[in-house]
Amino acid sequence: MIKVSVPNMNVVPIVVKPVFEELGYEFIAPPKMSRKTIEEGAKYAPEFACFPLKAVLGDFILASRKGAEYLVIFGGTGPCRFGWYGSTLQIILKNLGIPAKVFVLDFPTEKWARDTFSILGINGSSVKKLIHSGLIALKKLRLIELAQELARKIRPFEVKIGESDKTLQKIYKIVDNENSFIRLMKMKNEIKLMFEGINKNSNHELIRIGLVGELYMCLQEELNMWTESKLGKLGAFVDRSAIGLWKYVTGDIGLNFAHRRAKRIAYPWLKWHAGGESIYSIGYSLIFERKGYDGVVHISPLGCMPEIVAQTIMEKCVNIPILNLVFDEHTGETGVNTRLEAFCDLLKLRKE
Amino acid sequence: MVYYHSIMKIGIPRAGLYYQFFPLWDTFFKELGFEVVYSPPTNASLLKKGLEYAHSDICFPMKVNFGHVYWLKDKVDVLFVPRFISLEEKKYMCPKFMGLPDMLKASISNLPPLLDVNFNIRKKPFIRSWIEVGKRLRVSANKVKKALVKAEISQKSYQWNNLNGGDGLKIGIVARPYIIYDKYVSAELIDRLKEKGMNILTADNLIPEIINKEIAILKKPIYFDFGEKNVGTALHFLNSGEVDGFLYLISFECGPDSLLKEIIDDRARTSDIPYTTLVLDEHTEIAGILTRVEAFLDMIEYKSKTKFNL
């Protein structure tokens, strides 16, 4: 069986696993992202490449050491650099002497699309089964996003700090091991019950923070130093409605109405979507301001082209405090902690 | 809204894509009867203003651009800072160019009205963008079309005269137009090399067919404007041996170039044409750049004398 791997991106390995297994591949989950992944990637990646490329390269190197032959990544032809990742990674891996092939899910030309489908379908799995596994994948994604949403709501109130994070990890494991569609359908209540079981103390004042920024950096907790859960533990409700995998999938094809609204609100400030999440960063920050949130945390990797545009404009148009967190391979966790604590203190003081 | 009193002054910052399209822009606006005001060539004081107003993480040429706009803002009635989205079919400009007018509006206060017309060949041909420019300046579409014909002739007939008939070394330079032709940014590299009697070849001296032929080997087409041109030129230099060596100038934090450089590096590993990359930013010392260029040239000369190969 051909071994396939994907880069870490929050729960993506869990979600895409059933699809690849249905297609007849052996799925190899990349090792959990750690310092080693980042170091490995930063060593071989181009110097000024954006941080996600380095992290993905690290993932690919480690996954190929585990035996992966195909490394799958999305592509694109947008203005952001992400669409060119596949080609760059292939060149780097080739020069490192790693035989693994980078497989870009992307259709820039007709020939490319035909090749993609012919490689994907080598094992002749039926369309019906494929759709079934696709539905399982979507269901898993929805369940995990629900769990994350619940965790965000409970985190500021938990008595024993860190309990919701533990529950979340437990849920990841359960969802990962469950492959029956019917049982997945019933899991929603189970997840809700698990979070209801956490002890809460509800008598402290809540600050509300909106999270915006680049998709990959916001989702990959190891890269953004667990910003989201740290803010929660500092007593802030974090609204991550701006970013999410499901949102990304639906927003890209124009089905997400919240995204459309954000685009409309940001239009006076940025008249053209400059790739990535630039226009959503601005739009959702303005929405958070209108909703009366206390602050916005903006996360971006170093050298991200669209987010620099967004940052420049947000400084002018958003009238609530913004914390810009720019991450790269040299970012230390203590520095981030200090800034998050200071930001939360500032917001609490402003409220009084 | 823009009204014109006597002769309207149109400000064009001498930065960004000015260096690619100045024959066209200059002829176009002068043909329509406007006064065109250019900012002076980049200098240290302009750059200082740019650093003050631009975001600190943005690329060097953009900081320069901010400085030029700041210089122009009180001296003109309207600023020509279009939004370049796509210059060629199936290509995109870098996101910073897409957001440039908005970033300027957000960062610099008291700006005159901007002519932030979209130039997006994916959606509409450039002539319609120019008509929109004319519309905002209260000029009829017919006049715009007539002026544009003349402007395009002057753009096409402009000689990118870099070749210097001497018998020195032939050096290729690969870079984006706003780096290579901006004398301050590129440390007057072209002039300095010419003084030494060298022939210089840039992407603008090559015919597009050569570049397209080199690009055809890539599996996925490059979707960055200037990216294909630069990579094609570099690959042509490496494959054909038309030059004795070439320099690749990139600005710090240039997004597309940072990844496209890998293609050139990959090909250069198996080629015996010398090639070096110079990364430029606001902290670059001219002496440091010149030392590296001199060492590079010495190496080429040594190589041609001794037939030394690695």
Side-chain angles (χ1 to χ4, degrees), chain B residues 277-304:
Chain B
T277 312
L278 297 176
V279 182
L280 307 163
D281 72 352
E282 63 267 30
H283 308 297
T284 308
E285 275 290 325
I286 291 182
I289 292 284
L290 293 185
T291 311
R292 261 174 276 169
V293 172
E294 260 167 39
F296 181 67
L297 297 175
D298 287 348
M299 189 267 295
I300 294 175
E301 255 167 40
Y302 180 72
K303 182 175 170 260
S304 62

Side-chain angles (χ1 to χ4, degrees), chain B residues 43 166 186 196:
Chain B
N43 54 43
S186 67
K196 291 188 175 175

Side-chain angles (χ1 to χ4, degrees), chain A residues 209-224:
Chain A
I209 293 175
L211 194 73
V212 295
E214 201 264 340
L215 179 81
Y216 182 81
M217 290 306 291
C218 287
L219 291 184
Q220 190 61 42
E221 288 163 326
E222 288 87 352
L223 294 188
N224 67 32

Side-chain angles (χ1 to χ4, degrees), chain A residues 285-343:
Chain A
S285 305
L286 291 169
I287 290 176
F288 291 141
E289 188 194 326
R290 283 183 196 182
K291 279 186 183 166
Y293 277 43
D294 299 302
V296 171
V297 173
H298 180 260
I299 294 179
S300 67
L302 183 75
C304 179
M305 301 191 284
E307 292 306 322
I308 284 175
V309 176
Q311 259 183 42
T312 311
I313 295 167
M314 273 162 70
E315 275 166 21
K316 171 90 178 174
C317 70
V318 183
N319 294 323
I320 47 176
I322 306 173
L323 177 67
N324 282 325
L325 290 174
V326 182
F327 292 92
D328 74 347
E329 65 267 30
H330 306 298
T331 308
E333 200 180 339
T334 329
V336 177
N337 286 353
T338 316
R339 286 163 76 188
L340 289 178
E341 272 167 36
F343 188 63

Side-chain angles (χ1 to χ4, degrees), chain A residues 181-193:
Chain A
F181 188 69
I182 297 160
R183 254 175 285 160
L184 277 171
M185 292 286 276
K186 287 176 189 161
M187 211 176 260
K188 200 173 169 182
N189 281 329
E190 206 178 306
I191 288 172
K192 276 184 183 163
L193 280 175

Side-chain angles (χ1 to χ4, degrees), chain B residues 135-169:
Chain B
K135 211 173 160 187
R136 290 206 197 174
L137 295 169
R138 306 288 159 88
V139 181
S140 72
N142 274 337
K143 265 188 179 173
V144 169
K145 278 177 194 163
K146 267 182 207 162
L148 197 61
V149 171
K150 278 192 184 165
E152 267 168 2
I153 291 170
S154 75
Q155 171 80 18
K156 267 185 195 139
S157 59
Y158 184 80
Q159 294 288 321
W160 301 93
N161 196 9
N162 301 317
L163 286 168
N164 196 29
D167 50 357
L169 292 171

Side-chain angles (χ1 to χ4, degrees), chain A residues 149-208:
Chain A
E149 184 68 49
L150 289 171
R152 271 197 287 281
K153 273 183 189 155
I154 285 171
R155 226 176 256 134
F157 300 112
E158 59 193 8
V159 176
K160 217 170 103 196
I161 284 171
E163 212 176 342
S164 52
D165 278 344
K166 266 182 206 159
T167 318
L168 208 53
Q169 293 299 332
K170 238 185 266 169
I171 290 168
Y172 288 167
K173 232 171 227 167
I174 295 170
V175 172
D176 192 18
N177 293 330
E178 186 56 73
N179 273 324
S180 145
F181 188 69
I182 297 160
R183 254 175 285 160
L184 277 171
M185 292 286 276
K186 287 176 189 161
M187 211 176 260
K188 200 173 169 182
N189 281 329
E190 206 178 306
I191 288 172
K192 276 184 183 163
L193 280 175
M194 278 172 93
F195 278 106
E196 267 164 30
I198 296 174
N199 284 332
K200 277 169 277 187
N201 84 45
S202 53
N203 50 0
H204 81 83
E205 211 187 343
L206 189 70
I207 49 171
R208 292 186 300 167

Side-chain angles (χ1 to χ4, degrees), chain B residues 72-87:
Chain B
L72 277 173
K73 71 167 188 162
D74 298 325
K75 299 178 176 68
V76 294
D77 302 318
V78 57
L79 261 170
F80 183 61
V81 189
R83 188 189 316 277
F84 289 103
I85 294 159
S86 168
L87 298 182

